[in-house]
Amino acid sequence: LVKFAPYVSDILDRAGITRSGGPATRSGILSVDEILDIVGGYEIERVFPVDPRNEERTRESELHLWYVVRFGEEFTAAEVAEKLSALGEVQHVSFNRTIHRAYNAGKKAMPLSRKTLEAIQHQRATRTGEASAYPFDDLLLPQQWHLVNRGNMFGGKSIVDADVQCEQAWELSTGDESIVVAVLDEGVMIEHPDLKNNMWVNENEIYRSHKDNDGNGYQGDVYGYNFVKNTGVISWDDVNDTGHGTHVAGVIAAQNDNGIGISSIAGGNGDIPGVKIMSCQIFSGNTVSNSLATVRAIKYAADNGASIIQCSMGIKGGGYTSDDQYAKNAKAEHDALAYFIATSNCDAIDGGLVIFSAGNDALDRAGYPGAFRDYSSVTSFSPDFLPASYTNYGPGCNISAPGGDAYIASNSTATVLSTMPSEMNEGSDYGYMQGTSMACPHVSGVAALGLSYALAKGKQYTVAEFKSMLLTSVNDIDTYLDGTKQSLTTMQLRNYRKQMGTGAIDAYQLLMQIEGTPCLKAKVGVQQQLSLDKYFGKASANLTYKSAEMSQADMDKLGITAAPAFSYGKLQIKCTKPGVAKIKIKAMAGSSSANGEMSGMEITKEFAIIARAVQAGNGGWL
């Protein structure tokens, strides 16, 4: 992959090299062509096809200067790179590196068997109260501990609230169809009964067409594009496919409350559509991805409406050892991701969000690209609220989410249950997988839910502001990290303290930050005093507090039996149940006269009480 100097741009343009026109045999640059004539049998084409709608931005970002050069076997890539790098007309040379999944190719999901499904259906029919105990009527939601964990699974090993806390968030938002999440992965099964209504659709294109009907540089790209085979036909049924792209998509946006299958974080509510999934296929069967396919997918997502790219892929931890090394040696990818981040496709945010998995190498650092400072890197925990046995941790890791761990149970039910292509899954539409590549879409889904709520509230953020809210909307995980956990090896949990990112992602807290409602975090089961200094200033102890108003329903949610009171400017409260509720505090700014003729000013502020089994001591900051 060669990035030319800007001053030869006109020469390249005159040579007429565009991807839609096919590869050329001459660049038009004399010094380059002389070298490549020596190499022999070469082709050259622009990495990013011309999209007239976005060509001006493409040129401003210098992405139009990237070309792919192909040549014969007489010379190695390193030899050709050395010759080209010596030319003044060449800015940079990158190798077209292999990109690996953050999961094992060929490793199949554990299908949800028909027998198990029938047993769940029978259980639902005979236990009529169970369905109403959950927000949606999706049959498998009670098995999705990663969305709603009530601590009643896996022989008592699951911990209440070891999930993404979307149950209360769903009361505020279930997703907005204008938010598009690009899934860079295997192809998504576009016909899946739980996904088909939430697939992104390019209305200006014709599926399976061999023409570029909308002129964006890609043929037949109705639901996305297959960058492995360079076709608009998304595939998911290669004999060596794993169903991973479909599984990831289901976590984010399977259709909620449609009476079948699973629920998802931002998949809407019945007839109300959720966020949309754009399938950017960079893996297919045994065909590994490479830098060329990946960078094209990234720019395609930016140019065609995506606000989030969901990337369960990367280089093994330790492959790169610094941000500078990554930015230099993977420059085409770095440039494409910078373009995505700078592209706003949503009124709620001035750019794009990039979310990667941290990696499954059980190493004390994240793998790149996720470890890079501009991207969010996701570690994985299991239903016991402990780090998953495979997760990377440490430097480069930003936040944690459910990814499952098969060691928690005798079967796969302690991993993540989501959508699957039935063709590759023993006829079942659903199955179990685990990995940081499963944790990653939980954060992508919560981010999509947050953008949806921000749109509804008319809020606008910079990318930096939104990421700060996302990474601080967390619950504590460190409290659990004592002793050991047994997997294939004995895990020393102390090694993971302050190494899993800011904490465990909490969708409700993100929505509260967007709403502007401050959160008071309380630990379940203890009488405590919550400081109000952050919200009323250091003079909070001198305010005259008139009332703390909670509805009886909200008090019941948190198991509060004694009305909240005040002591030296702090709120005294005892929650006996985990959950969330609203409280309205009224105070007087300034004193009142004895006869009541003169009075201070009444101030009122609403808070969300977040009651959890443990309480984050660091406020969610790294």
Side-chain angles (χ1 to χ4, degrees), residues 134 142-163 381-386 404-405 407-409 413-415 480 485 613:
Y134 286 84
Q143 277 67 48
Q144 292 182 276
W145 63 268
H146 40 102
L147 299 187
V148 181
N149 192 338
R150 296 192 169 152
N152 55 356
M153 303 175 77
F154 319 121
K157 291 181 180 179
S158 68
I159 302 294
V160 174
D161 292 329
D163 53 38
F381 64 82
S382 47
D384 54 7
F385 231 151
L386 297 178
D405 199 332
Y407 290 105
I408 302 301
T413 55
T415 62
Y480 294 99
K485 175 179 175 176

Side-chain angles (χ1 to χ4, degrees), residues 95-390:
F95 296 111
N96 187 23
R97 296 186 184 276
T98 297
I99 304 294
H100 295 283
R101 300 165 168 92
Y103 53 97
N104 295 328
K107 183 177 175 66
K108 302 297 184 181
M110 177 61 70
L112 180 76
S113 68
R114 185 174 298 277
K115 182 178 179 181
T116 301
L117 185 61
E118 290 173 351
I120 293 170
Q121 289 171 328
H122 176 73
Q123 183 184 58
R124 175 69 66 87
T126 56
R127 293 165 59 181
T128 54
E130 183 174 325
S132 60
Y134 286 84
F136 300 132
D137 68 1
D138 303 300
L139 182 65
L140 300 175
L141 178 54
Q143 277 67 48
Q144 292 182 276
W145 63 268
H146 40 102
L147 299 187
V148 181
N149 192 338
R150 296 192 169 152
N152 55 356
M153 303 175 77
F154 319 121
K157 291 181 180 179
S158 68
I159 302 294
V160 174
D161 292 329
D163 53 38
V164 292
Q165 300 299 325
C166 54
E167 188 170 8
Q168 292 85 13
W170 285 332
E171 296 176 7
L172 302 173
S173 177
T174 57
D176 185 298
E177 61 182 329
S178 68
I179 304 298
V180 179
V181 181
V183 174
L184 275 64
D185 208 296
E186 289 182 6
V188 177
M189 182 182 179
I190 60 178
E191 301 163 356
H192 194 286
D194 240 354
L195 289 171
K196 61 184 180 181
N197 292 331
N198 282 342
M199 292 299 300
W200 170 78
V201 176
N202 179 1
E203 301 285 358
N204 298 315
E205 193 51 86
I206 301 169
Y207 195 52
R208 296 184 180 275
S209 173
H210 296 293
K211 291 183 178 181
D212 179 14
N213 296 283
D214 62 351
N216 71 346
Y218 295 93
Q219 300 173 354
D221 57 317
V222 173
Y223 305 102
Y225 197 75
N226 185 335
F227 294 91
V228 182
K229 298 181 178 178
N230 291 318
T231 173
V233 180
I234 306 298
S235 66
W236 56 83
D237 55 357
D238 184 284
V239 67
N240 291 303
D241 276 341
T242 67
H244 193 275
T246 303
H247 201 271
V248 163
V251 171
I252 299 167
Q255 187 175 356
N256 290 323
D257 212 39
N258 61 350
I260 63 169
I262 63 164
S263 297
S264 70
I265 297 170
N269 187 352
D271 293 333
I272 301 172
V275 304
K276 298 302 182 184
I277 297 294
M278 175 191 291
S279 183
C280 293
Q281 185 173 358
I282 59 171
F283 298 111
S284 179
N286 280 335
T287 306
V288 296
S289 188
N290 55 38
S291 300
L292 179 61
T294 303
V295 299
R296 282 175 171 166
I298 292 165
K299 187 174 185 295
Y300 176 91
D303 287 344
N304 290 279
S307 296
I308 299 169
I309 52 173
Q310 148 62 38
C311 308
S312 290
M313 62 183 189
I315 298 165
K316 186 173 181 177
Y320 291 121
T321 57
S322 72
D323 283 5
D324 289 345
Q325 186 186 46
Y326 165 74
K328 178 181 178 181
N329 293 324
K331 185 165 178 56
E333 182 176 274
H334 174 265
D335 286 1
L337 287 168
Y339 178 87
F340 182 89
I341 292 170
T343 302
S344 176
N345 288 316
C346 168
D347 289 340
I349 190 169
D350 71 352
L353 300 171
V354 177
I355 303 174
F356 279 92
S357 51
N360 299 333
D361 310 307
L363 291 177
D364 58 353
R365 72 205 70 175
Y368 279 90
F372 190 74
R373 59 183 173 269
D374 291 338
Y375 323 143
S376 298
S377 175
V378 186
T379 62
S380 175
F381 64 82
S382 47
D384 54 7
F385 231 151
L386 297 178
S389 55
Y390 49 78

Side-chain angles (χ1 to χ4, degrees), residues 55 199 364 560 591:
E55 183 65 9
M199 292 299 300
D364 58 353
I560 298 174
S591 61

